[in-house]
Amino acid sequence: QVQLVESGGGEVQPGGSLRLSCAASGFTFSAYAMSWFRQAPGKGLEWVSYISSGGGSTDYADSVKGRFAISRDTAKNTLYLQMNSLKPEDTAVYYCARRKRGTVRGATSESDHDYWGQGTQVTVSP
């Protein structure tokens, strides 16, 4: 069965860095675009970043552009999110998600994704 397992979260000071990983199994990882979402305390789910199935196309929410970098390693069936210059407002549970086949370019809503990981907590505080 499809499984997505995030890791790499933790507590970091403002300005620090973390790298999240999402280990994928149960499907052909290289055939699917993937996304990262996050949910801050008391807020709704927010799309963070997207990467195409081949890794050649990426996109970011304005709130993280220039600070976060998404990547994927097909040989390891793993998705990554490198987070630099972290801010307190980046505090959230981060989820990786598989984007449905056939979704239009730029699809970033929750309903455009069919499988989700369990999430990993990122806390940015002094």
Side-chain angles (χ1 to χ4, degrees):
Q1 72 278 22
V2 173
Q3 280 197 311
L4 299 170
V5 180
E6 300 97 336
S7 61
E11 187 165 351
V12 64
Q13 293 186 337
S17 298
L18 282 173
R19 188 176 81 155
L20 306 184
S21 299
C22 170
S25 61
F27 66 103
T28 303
F29 181 65
S30 60
Y32 287 84
M34 300 290 295
S35 297
W36 285 98
F37 286 78
R38 67 185 181 184
Q39 187 165 25
K43 297 190 176 181
L45 199 63
E46 176 190 18
W47 170 79
V48 173
S49 183
Y50 149 90
I51 188 167
S52 61
S53 57
S57 179
T58 59
D59 198 11
Y60 300 90
D62 287 343
S63 58
V64 307
K65 201 169 290 184
R67 300 187 298 122
F68 290 11
I70 191 171
S71 62
R72 63 193 300 161
D73 185 331
T74 301
K76 295 182 178 180
N77 283 355
T78 302
L79 176 72
Y80 301 100
L81 186 68
Q82 177 67 43
M83 305 186 298
N84 299 324
S85 302
L86 283 161
K87 305 175 181 180
E89 51 264 44
D90 294 318
T91 295
V93 178
Y94 284 72
Y95 300 91
C96 62
R98 189 181 82 170
R99 209 169 83 161
K100 294 177 182 175
R101 299 288 296 274
T103 52
V104 299
R105 183 182 176 87
T108 59
S109 68
E110 184 177 350
S111 62
D112 293 315
H113 298 76
D114 54 4
Y115 286 93
W116 298 75
Q118 83 289 350
T120 186
Q121 176 71 47
V122 171
T123 302
V124 184
S125 65

